[in-house]
Short mmCIF file of all heavy atoms in Angstrom, two decimals:
data_model
loop_
_atom_site.label_atom_id
_atom_site.label_comp_id
_atom_site.label_asym_id
_atom_site.label_seq_id
_atom_site.Cartn_x
_atom_site.Cartn_y
_atom_site.Cartn_z
N THR A 1 7.22 -16.82 -3.85
CA THR A 1 8.26 -17.39 -3.01
C THR A 1 7.97 -18.89 -2.90
O THR A 1 6.89 -19.35 -3.29
CB THR A 1 8.24 -16.77 -1.59
OG1 THR A 1 7.12 -17.31 -0.86
CG2 THR A 1 8.14 -15.26 -1.64
N PRO A 2 8.89 -19.67 -2.34
CA PRO A 2 8.59 -21.09 -2.14
C PRO A 2 7.48 -21.31 -1.12
O PRO A 2 6.94 -22.42 -1.02
CB PRO A 2 9.92 -21.66 -1.60
CG PRO A 2 10.95 -20.67 -2.01
CD PRO A 2 10.28 -19.35 -2.00
N TYR A 3 7.11 -20.26 -0.40
CA TYR A 3 6.13 -20.37 0.67
C TYR A 3 4.73 -20.01 0.18
O TYR A 3 3.77 -20.73 0.42
CB TYR A 3 6.53 -19.47 1.84
CG TYR A 3 8.01 -19.48 2.10
CD1 TYR A 3 8.81 -18.36 1.81
CD2 TYR A 3 8.65 -20.63 2.57
CE1 TYR A 3 10.18 -18.38 2.00
CE2 TYR A 3 10.03 -20.65 2.76
CZ TYR A 3 10.78 -19.52 2.48
OH TYR A 3 12.15 -19.55 2.66
N CYS A 4 4.61 -18.87 -0.49
CA CYS A 4 3.32 -18.42 -0.99
C CYS A 4 3.54 -17.25 -1.94
O CYS A 4 4.64 -16.71 -2.04
CB CYS A 4 2.40 -18.01 0.16
SG CYS A 4 2.93 -16.52 1.06
N LYS A 5 2.46 -16.86 -2.61
CA LYS A 5 2.49 -15.66 -3.43
C LYS A 5 2.16 -14.46 -2.54
O LYS A 5 1.29 -14.53 -1.68
CB LYS A 5 1.48 -15.75 -4.57
CG LYS A 5 1.40 -14.48 -5.45
CD LYS A 5 0.47 -14.64 -6.62
CE LYS A 5 1.13 -15.42 -7.74
NZ LYS A 5 0.32 -15.35 -9.00
N VAL A 6 2.87 -13.36 -2.77
CA VAL A 6 2.74 -12.16 -1.94
C VAL A 6 2.27 -10.99 -2.81
O VAL A 6 2.77 -10.79 -3.92
CB VAL A 6 4.08 -11.81 -1.27
CG1 VAL A 6 3.92 -10.58 -0.38
CG2 VAL A 6 4.60 -12.99 -0.46
N GLY A 7 1.31 -10.21 -2.30
CA GLY A 7 0.85 -9.01 -2.98
C GLY A 7 1.35 -7.77 -2.26
O GLY A 7 1.46 -7.76 -1.03
N LEU A 8 1.64 -6.72 -3.02
CA LEU A 8 2.21 -5.50 -2.46
C LEU A 8 1.30 -4.29 -2.62
O LEU A 8 0.67 -4.09 -3.67
CB LEU A 8 3.54 -5.17 -3.17
CG LEU A 8 4.71 -6.13 -2.99
CD1 LEU A 8 5.86 -5.70 -3.88
CD2 LEU A 8 5.14 -6.18 -1.53
N GLY A 9 1.25 -3.48 -1.57
CA GLY A 9 0.64 -2.16 -1.63
C GLY A 9 1.50 -1.24 -0.79
O GLY A 9 2.37 -1.69 -0.04
N ILE A 10 1.27 0.05 -0.91
CA ILE A 10 2.00 1.01 -0.09
C ILE A 10 1.01 1.92 0.61
O ILE A 10 0.24 2.63 -0.03
CB ILE A 10 2.97 1.86 -0.94
CG1 ILE A 10 4.03 0.98 -1.62
CG2 ILE A 10 3.66 2.92 -0.08
CD1 ILE A 10 4.97 1.74 -2.55
N CYS A 11 0.99 1.83 1.93
CA CYS A 11 0.28 2.77 2.80
C CYS A 11 -1.16 3.03 2.38
O CYS A 11 -2.04 2.22 2.64
CB CYS A 11 1.09 4.07 2.90
SG CYS A 11 0.69 5.07 4.36
N TYR A 12 -1.43 4.11 1.70
CA TYR A 12 -2.79 4.52 1.33
C TYR A 12 -3.48 3.47 0.46
O TYR A 12 -4.71 3.38 0.44
CB TYR A 12 -2.71 5.87 0.60
CG TYR A 12 -4.00 6.67 0.58
CD1 TYR A 12 -4.69 6.96 1.75
CD2 TYR A 12 -4.47 7.20 -0.62
CE1 TYR A 12 -5.86 7.72 1.72
CE2 TYR A 12 -5.62 7.96 -0.66
CZ TYR A 12 -6.32 8.22 0.51
OH TYR A 12 -7.47 8.98 0.49
N ASP A 13 -2.70 2.65 -0.25
CA ASP A 13 -3.28 1.56 -1.05
C ASP A 13 -4.15 0.65 -0.19
O ASP A 13 -5.09 0.03 -0.69
CB ASP A 13 -2.17 0.72 -1.70
CG ASP A 13 -1.48 1.40 -2.88
OD1 ASP A 13 -2.07 2.34 -3.46
OD2 ASP A 13 -0.35 0.99 -3.22
N MET A 14 -3.82 0.54 1.10
CA MET A 14 -4.54 -0.38 1.97
C MET A 14 -6.00 0.01 2.16
O MET A 14 -6.84 -0.82 2.51
CB MET A 14 -3.83 -0.46 3.33
CG MET A 14 -4.42 -1.46 4.29
SD MET A 14 -3.38 -1.82 5.71
CE MET A 14 -3.20 -0.20 6.47
N ARG A 15 -6.33 1.27 1.93
CA ARG A 15 -7.71 1.72 2.12
C ARG A 15 -8.64 1.23 1.01
O ARG A 15 -9.86 1.35 1.14
CB ARG A 15 -7.77 3.25 2.18
CG ARG A 15 -7.18 3.82 3.47
CD ARG A 15 -7.45 5.31 3.58
NE ARG A 15 -6.93 5.86 4.82
CZ ARG A 15 -7.58 5.90 5.97
NH1 ARG A 15 -8.82 5.44 6.04
NH2 ARG A 15 -7.03 6.42 7.05
N PHE A 16 -8.09 0.68 -0.05
CA PHE A 16 -8.90 0.34 -1.22
C PHE A 16 -9.08 -1.18 -1.26
O PHE A 16 -8.21 -1.93 -1.69
CB PHE A 16 -8.24 0.90 -2.48
CG PHE A 16 -8.18 2.41 -2.44
CD1 PHE A 16 -7.12 3.05 -1.80
CD2 PHE A 16 -9.22 3.18 -2.95
CE1 PHE A 16 -7.07 4.44 -1.71
CE2 PHE A 16 -9.18 4.57 -2.86
CZ PHE A 16 -8.11 5.20 -2.24
N ALA A 17 -10.28 -1.60 -0.79
CA ALA A 17 -10.56 -3.02 -0.63
C ALA A 17 -10.49 -3.78 -1.95
O ALA A 17 -10.14 -4.97 -1.97
CB ALA A 17 -11.94 -3.19 0.01
N GLU A 18 -10.82 -3.10 -3.05
CA GLU A 18 -10.82 -3.77 -4.35
C GLU A 18 -9.42 -4.27 -4.72
O GLU A 18 -9.26 -5.33 -5.33
CB GLU A 18 -11.34 -2.83 -5.44
CG GLU A 18 -12.78 -2.37 -5.23
CD GLU A 18 -12.91 -1.15 -4.33
OE1 GLU A 18 -11.90 -0.73 -3.72
OE2 GLU A 18 -14.03 -0.61 -4.25
N MET A 19 -8.42 -3.50 -4.36
CA MET A 19 -7.04 -3.87 -4.69
C MET A 19 -6.66 -5.17 -3.97
O MET A 19 -6.09 -6.09 -4.57
CB MET A 19 -6.10 -2.74 -4.30
CG MET A 19 -4.68 -2.92 -4.77
SD MET A 19 -3.71 -1.41 -4.44
CE MET A 19 -2.15 -1.87 -5.17
N ALA A 20 -7.01 -5.25 -2.69
CA ALA A 20 -6.72 -6.46 -1.92
C ALA A 20 -7.51 -7.65 -2.47
O ALA A 20 -7.00 -8.78 -2.52
CB ALA A 20 -7.06 -6.24 -0.45
N GLN A 21 -8.73 -7.41 -2.91
CA GLN A 21 -9.54 -8.50 -3.45
C GLN A 21 -8.94 -9.04 -4.74
O GLN A 21 -8.92 -10.26 -4.96
CB GLN A 21 -10.98 -8.02 -3.70
CG GLN A 21 -11.92 -9.15 -4.10
CD GLN A 21 -13.37 -8.70 -4.16
OE1 GLN A 21 -13.77 -7.74 -3.50
NE2 GLN A 21 -14.17 -9.40 -4.95
N ILE A 22 -8.43 -8.15 -5.57
CA ILE A 22 -7.76 -8.60 -6.80
C ILE A 22 -6.56 -9.48 -6.44
O ILE A 22 -6.32 -10.54 -7.05
CB ILE A 22 -7.30 -7.40 -7.65
CG1 ILE A 22 -8.52 -6.68 -8.24
CG2 ILE A 22 -6.34 -7.85 -8.75
CD1 ILE A 22 -9.28 -7.45 -9.29
N TYR A 23 -5.78 -9.06 -5.44
CA TYR A 23 -4.64 -9.87 -5.02
C TYR A 23 -5.09 -11.25 -4.54
O TYR A 23 -4.45 -12.26 -4.83
CB TYR A 23 -3.86 -9.16 -3.92
CG TYR A 23 -2.95 -8.07 -4.41
CD1 TYR A 23 -2.79 -6.87 -3.71
CD2 TYR A 23 -2.20 -8.23 -5.58
CE1 TYR A 23 -1.94 -5.87 -4.16
CE2 TYR A 23 -1.35 -7.23 -6.03
CZ TYR A 23 -1.22 -6.05 -5.32
OH TYR A 23 -0.38 -5.08 -5.77
N GLY A 24 -6.19 -11.29 -3.82
CA GLY A 24 -6.72 -12.58 -3.39
C GLY A 24 -7.11 -13.44 -4.57
O GLY A 24 -6.83 -14.65 -4.61
N GLN A 25 -7.75 -12.84 -5.58
CA GLN A 25 -8.13 -13.57 -6.78
C GLN A 25 -6.91 -14.10 -7.54
O GLN A 25 -6.98 -15.14 -8.20
CB GLN A 25 -8.95 -12.66 -7.70
CG GLN A 25 -10.32 -12.28 -7.15
CD GLN A 25 -11.02 -11.24 -8.01
OE1 GLN A 25 -10.50 -10.80 -9.05
NE2 GLN A 25 -12.19 -10.81 -7.57
N LYS A 26 -5.80 -13.38 -7.42
CA LYS A 26 -4.57 -13.78 -8.12
C LYS A 26 -3.79 -14.85 -7.33
O LYS A 26 -2.72 -15.26 -7.75
CB LYS A 26 -3.67 -12.56 -8.36
CG LYS A 26 -4.25 -11.59 -9.39
CD LYS A 26 -3.51 -10.27 -9.41
CE LYS A 26 -2.15 -10.37 -10.07
NZ LYS A 26 -2.24 -10.62 -11.52
N GLY A 27 -4.32 -15.27 -6.18
CA GLY A 27 -3.71 -16.35 -5.43
C GLY A 27 -2.78 -15.93 -4.31
O GLY A 27 -2.08 -16.77 -3.73
N CYS A 28 -2.77 -14.65 -3.95
CA CYS A 28 -1.92 -14.20 -2.85
C CYS A 28 -2.47 -14.71 -1.51
O CYS A 28 -3.68 -14.70 -1.29
CB CYS A 28 -1.84 -12.68 -2.82
SG CYS A 28 -1.03 -11.96 -4.27
N GLN A 29 -1.57 -15.13 -0.65
CA GLN A 29 -1.94 -15.56 0.69
C GLN A 29 -1.38 -14.62 1.76
O GLN A 29 -1.71 -14.76 2.94
CB GLN A 29 -1.45 -16.98 0.94
CG GLN A 29 -2.17 -18.01 0.04
CD GLN A 29 -1.64 -19.41 0.24
OE1 GLN A 29 -0.44 -19.66 0.11
NE2 GLN A 29 -2.52 -20.34 0.54
N LEU A 30 -0.58 -13.68 1.33
CA LEU A 30 0.00 -12.68 2.22
C LEU A 30 0.04 -11.35 1.48
O LEU A 30 0.49 -11.29 0.33
CB LEU A 30 1.42 -13.09 2.64
CG LEU A 30 2.28 -12.04 3.35
CD1 LEU A 30 1.68 -11.65 4.70
CD2 LEU A 30 3.72 -12.56 3.53
N LEU A 31 -0.46 -10.30 2.11
CA LEU A 31 -0.35 -8.94 1.58
C LEU A 31 0.56 -8.14 2.51
O LEU A 31 0.42 -8.22 3.73
CB LEU A 31 -1.72 -8.25 1.50
CG LEU A 31 -2.81 -8.95 0.70
CD1 LEU A 31 -4.07 -8.09 0.66
CD2 LEU A 31 -2.34 -9.30 -0.70
N ILE A 32 1.47 -7.40 1.93
CA ILE A 32 2.38 -6.58 2.72
C ILE A 32 2.25 -5.12 2.28
O ILE A 32 2.37 -4.81 1.09
CB ILE A 32 3.84 -7.06 2.60
CG1 ILE A 32 3.95 -8.48 3.16
CG2 ILE A 32 4.79 -6.11 3.33
CD1 ILE A 32 5.35 -9.03 3.17
N TYR A 33 2.01 -4.27 3.27
CA TYR A 33 1.85 -2.83 3.03
C TYR A 33 2.89 -2.07 3.84
O TYR A 33 2.66 -1.79 5.03
CB TYR A 33 0.46 -2.36 3.45
CG TYR A 33 -0.70 -2.91 2.69
CD1 TYR A 33 -1.37 -4.05 3.15
CD2 TYR A 33 -1.18 -2.30 1.53
CE1 TYR A 33 -2.47 -4.57 2.47
CE2 TYR A 33 -2.28 -2.80 0.85
CZ TYR A 33 -2.92 -3.94 1.33
OH TYR A 33 -4.01 -4.44 0.66
N PRO A 34 4.03 -1.70 3.27
CA PRO A 34 4.86 -0.69 3.94
C PRO A 34 4.04 0.59 4.03
O PRO A 34 3.41 0.99 3.05
CB PRO A 34 6.05 -0.52 3.00
CG PRO A 34 6.05 -1.76 2.15
CD PRO A 34 4.62 -2.14 2.00
N GLY A 35 4.00 1.21 5.20
CA GLY A 35 3.13 2.38 5.34
C GLY A 35 3.61 3.31 6.43
O GLY A 35 4.35 2.92 7.33
N ALA A 36 3.14 4.54 6.35
CA ALA A 36 3.49 5.54 7.38
C ALA A 36 2.23 6.33 7.72
O ALA A 36 2.10 7.50 7.36
CB ALA A 36 4.60 6.46 6.88
N PHE A 37 1.27 5.66 8.38
CA PHE A 37 0.10 6.38 8.85
C PHE A 37 0.57 7.39 9.91
O PHE A 37 1.63 7.24 10.50
CB PHE A 37 -0.92 5.42 9.46
CG PHE A 37 -1.88 4.82 8.45
CD1 PHE A 37 -1.43 4.44 7.19
CD2 PHE A 37 -3.20 4.60 8.77
CE1 PHE A 37 -2.30 3.88 6.26
CE2 PHE A 37 -4.07 4.03 7.86
CZ PHE A 37 -3.63 3.68 6.60
N ASN A 38 -0.24 8.40 10.13
CA ASN A 38 0.16 9.50 11.02
C ASN A 38 -0.60 9.44 12.35
O ASN A 38 -1.34 8.48 12.61
CB ASN A 38 -0.05 10.84 10.31
CG ASN A 38 -1.47 10.96 9.78
OD1 ASN A 38 -2.42 11.08 10.54
ND2 ASN A 38 -1.62 10.89 8.46
N MET A 39 -0.43 10.46 13.16
CA MET A 39 -1.01 10.45 14.50
C MET A 39 -2.51 10.74 14.51
O MET A 39 -3.16 10.63 15.55
CB MET A 39 -0.27 11.47 15.38
CG MET A 39 1.21 11.18 15.53
SD MET A 39 1.54 9.55 16.26
CE MET A 39 0.96 9.84 17.93
N THR A 40 -3.07 11.07 13.35
CA THR A 40 -4.52 11.22 13.22
C THR A 40 -5.15 9.94 12.68
O THR A 40 -6.06 9.37 13.27
CB THR A 40 -4.88 12.41 12.30
OG1 THR A 40 -4.41 13.62 12.89
CG2 THR A 40 -6.39 12.51 12.10
N THR A 41 -4.64 9.48 11.54
CA THR A 41 -5.22 8.29 10.90
C THR A 41 -4.74 6.99 11.53
O THR A 41 -5.44 5.97 11.46
CB THR A 41 -4.89 8.28 9.40
OG1 THR A 41 -3.46 8.23 9.22
CG2 THR A 41 -5.45 9.51 8.71
N GLY A 42 -3.57 7.01 12.14
CA GLY A 42 -3.02 5.79 12.72
C GLY A 42 -3.89 5.18 13.81
O GLY A 42 -4.35 4.04 13.68
#
């Protein structure tokens, strides 16, 4: 975007730190995770 590079994950993807680190290495300054955690994990 004209503002920054954005990285995407979905819900369970957020548990995997390596994925976020790769996005950081690729120059992302914002990560967005659409997600639906439940009443146990939330």
Side-chain angles (χ1 to χ4, degrees):
T1 75
Y3 321 109
C4 67
K5 177 176 281 191
V6 181
L8 294 174
I10 298 176
C11 201
Y12 201 52
D13 286 340
M14 184 166 59
R15 289 189 178 272
F16 297 85
E18 298 86 352
M19 188 172 183
Q21 187 172 335
I22 291 292
Y23 281 141
Q25 292 173 2
K26 291 168 74 68
C28 295
Q29 294 177 305
L30 169 64
L31 304 183
I32 297 184
Y33 296 93
F37 274 39
N38 53 69
M39 299 301 290
T40 297
T41 61

